[in-house]
Amino acid sequence: MEDRLVRYGTAPGRWVLLATVLGSSLAFIDATVVNIALPMIGRDLHSSAAGLQWTVNGYALSLAALVLLGGSLGDRLGRKRIFMIGVAWFAASSLLCGLAPNIGLLVGARVLQGIGGALLTPGALAILEASFVAGDRARAIGAWSGLGGIGGALGPFLGGWLVELGNWRYIFLINVPLAVLVLAVAARHVPESRSPMATQKFDVAGVLTGAIGLGGLTYGFTAWTAHGPGDPAVLISLVAGVAGLVAFVLGERRSKHPMLPLDIFRSKAFSGANLVTFLVYAANGGVFFLVVVNLQVVAGFSPLTSGIALLPVTVLMLLLSARSGALGQKIGPRIPMTAGPIICAVALLLMSRIGPGTSYVTGVLPAVIIFGLGLCALVAPLTSTALGSLDDMHAGIASGVNNAVARAAGLLSVAILPLAAGLGSGNLTDAADLHPVYRNSMLLCAALMVGGGVLAFFTIPNRLSKNEPDPVKTYCDPCSPPVHPSRTAA
């Protein structure tokens, strides 16, 4: 097996990096640029607020529900094989998105896109770990992080430019040729790998009940805005969502081959880190969903300007994430995980003031920089704690759980925030409706951040008893959950 591994800095290693960076960038960038196109999609397809929410949540729902299964399939059936299936699936569904004639079909295609993302996302990092020799893996992951971060930074610029060309469909159609390139490189240059310890039995019940739980709650809260809490569809969906999550927990407790072993939550640090993740990424989900839309609809920014408005966050993450991870290892994760969300909350209070006529330099940029600094202080120690609080044999499931928690938080945030902020029957593409909803949403997100900081102070220890990941591995696109090179499934 060792003779099939590649070395960093060689031609085979560069090809593997190219395939994994481009493949994972498809999913990461797409999640960002769609928000930029929402106002144009709403006008072009005559969509309601719920339709725009589902344009985001359709993708997030299937991705969150199936990301653990995607990693598990790769371990069992071959990481390269599942990665390539995910890329091809993502390309086909992107084509459907680009051709969708109405909002219903666009949402359906986005759900299919999320399935492709769930197959390719965990596979990219697992391929790196399985393909490079042990001594070169940290460098390979660092290169993946840096190049992926550059892609994340270019994504909003590219998305804004494509939207300004006059057609939102380009942001989906551009995925097709990029996916073809990824498939060609992966087929020729990426070695196949599997986990010899992976069981061949799948937790089908866990996948189904988890999807029903997340889907029921998401649909119920989204429909609540348009139909009210007494609507039968809303009530049935919410009840089904709660029942699905309860059934998921009970099923995982009894299963001989659980997708989510519940005994890992006996670790106070692991449980605390994931609770903090839920609050912080719920806030992040609201921020990255509403800020770009508000800049266009209320403040009058162009799609391109709106797309790059949050670019300083990504730049700061690229420059400071590794240093933040090293600092967290030196002084312990509690302080940065407490201070980071509080700093983000201050930034969100400033962001809540963005309205008609706001200047980017004086009204947006300071808040964005403070927000980026808060995330820099928080993300790397949070990732290290979530992954380092369990032993090495559970590194894969720790990563998978943290990914799923973060994605579920963002998913529910997009569904619930407009409702909680008072949208009612209003429209997210109408400035008069959106402005007060946006302000209230930012205040709610600030409260979530404060809650995350307080929770971190009381649940996160100063020192972890387990080995923490190398901070070079902890770069995270602020729009996406923390990731780790280990396998993302049990």
Side-chain angles (χ1 to χ4, degrees):
M1 181 66 181
E2 185 71 21
D3 59 349
R4 299 182 58 193
L5 299 180
V6 300
R7 296 202 65 93
Y8 185 83
T10 64
R14 294 188 188 99
W15 284 116
V16 173
L17 271 175
L18 176 63
T20 54
V21 168
L22 282 181
S24 55
S25 293
L26 285 175
F28 291 163
I29 293 174
D30 194 79
T32 306
V33 300
V34 169
N35 291 345
I36 301 170
L38 286 177
M40 183 173 287
I41 291 173
R43 292 190 295 268
D44 188 32
L45 300 183
H46 308 289
S47 172
S48 64
L52 295 182
Q53 287 173 273
W54 273 108
T55 300
V56 175
N57 272 350
Y59 176 83
L61 174 61
S62 53
L63 183 57
L66 300 176
V67 67
L68 286 174
L69 179 64
S72 181
L73 288 172
D75 284 349
R76 290 163 172 79
L77 304 179
R79 300 180 181 106
K80 172 183 174 179
R81 175 187 296 177
I82 298 302
F83 174 77
M84 292 182 65
I85 291 174
V87 171
W89 189 301
F90 194 90
S93 54
S94 294
L95 181 61
L96 293 177
C97 289
L99 300 177
N102 55 59
I103 194 66
L105 290 178
L106 175 60
V107 169
R110 286 283 285 165
V111 172
L112 294 176
Q113 232 188 356
I115 297 174
L119 296 176
L120 73 88
T121 299
L125 284 170
I127 284 173
L128 288 180
E129 183 172 279
S131 298
F132 282 86
V133 298
D136 288 349
R137 286 172 190 165
R139 297 178 66 193
I141 298 300
W144 177 90
S145 298
L147 294 171
I150 293 172
L154 293 177
F157 176 83
L158 177 63
W161 177 68
L162 289 173
V163 171
E164 284 207 342
L165 289 179
N167 199 325
W168 57 267
R169 300 179 187 275
Y170 296 154
I171 67 173
F172 296 111
L173 297 178
I174 197 174
N175 291 334
V176 178
L178 292 176
V180 171
L181 175 60
V182 174
L183 290 172
V185 173
R188 183 174 178 83
H189 298 285
V190 174
E192 184 59 283
S193 63
R194 294 176 176 83
S195 171
M197 300 179 63
T199 176
Q200 296 303 309
K201 295 184 178 181
F202 295 102
D203 184 11
V204 177
V207 173
L208 292 177
T209 54
I212 291 171
L214 287 174
L217 291 179
T218 303
Y219 180 83
F221 284 118
T222 303
W224 187 326
T225 303
H227 303 294
D231 184 79
V234 172
L235 293 174
I236 292 172
S237 297
L238 293 177
V239 170
V242 173
L245 292 181
V246 171
F248 174 79
V249 173
L250 294 177
E252 296 304 281
R253 179 178 295 176
R254 298 171 182 170
S255 175
K256 294 181 179 179
H257 305 283
M259 183 171 65
L260 177 60
L262 297 181
D263 59 353
I264 62 176
F265 291 101
R266 293 174 183 171
S267 166
K268 179 182 177 181
F270 180 75
S271 297
N274 280 285
L275 287 172
V276 174
T277 295
F278 186 86
L279 294 177
V280 167
Y281 278 90
N284 273 0
V287 171
F288 286 95
F289 173 60
L290 287 172
V291 167
V292 174
V293 177
N294 183 70
L295 287 174
Q296 293 180 66
V297 175
V298 176
F301 287 27
S302 70
L304 178 58
T305 305
S306 301
I308 63 177
L310 298 177
L311 184 61
V313 175
T314 303
V315 174
L316 288 170
M317 293 287 288
L318 279 169
L319 295 175
L320 301 178
S321 286
R323 292 181 175 88
S324 174
L327 178 64
Q329 286 184 319
K330 182 178 180 179
I331 67 173
R334 178 188 292 171
I335 293 176
M337 284 181 62
T338 300
I342 303 300
I343 295 171
C344 288
V346 173
L348 294 181
L349 293 178
L350 296 176
M351 285 187 188
S352 70
R353 303 169 61 184
I354 298 174
T358 297
S359 164
Y360 178 74
V361 174
T362 60
V364 180
L365 183 59
V368 170
I369 291 175
I370 295 172
F371 187 68
L373 292 174
L375 287 180
C376 287
L378 166 69
V379 169
L382 173 59
T383 308
S384 294
T385 303
L387 301 177
S389 54
L390 301 180
D391 53 37
D392 290 344
M393 68 176 291
H394 287 111
I397 193 61
S399 173
V401 169
N402 204 232
N403 271 269
V405 167
R407 294 185 188 281
L411 172 71
L412 294 174
S413 174
V414 172
I416 296 173
L417 260 184
L419 171 67
L423 179 62
S425 58
N427 199 310
L428 292 177
T429 58
D430 183 276
D433 291 339
L434 176 60
H435 189 199
V437 169
Y438 167 79
R439 182 181 62 248
N440 293 339
S441 295
M442 292 302 101
L443 296 177
L444 290 172
C445 288
L448 288 171
M449 285 290 186
V450 171
V454 172
L455 189 63
F457 181 80
F458 287 106
T459 63
I460 303 301
N462 280 324
R463 296 292 176 187
L464 297 179
S465 59
K466 304 298 180 183
N467 292 327
E468 298 179 54
D470 189 320
V472 77
K473 303 176 184 179
T474 57
Y475 168 77
C476 172
D477 189 300
C479 307
S480 303
V483 290
H484 186 263
S486 300
R487 294 183 298 275
T488 17

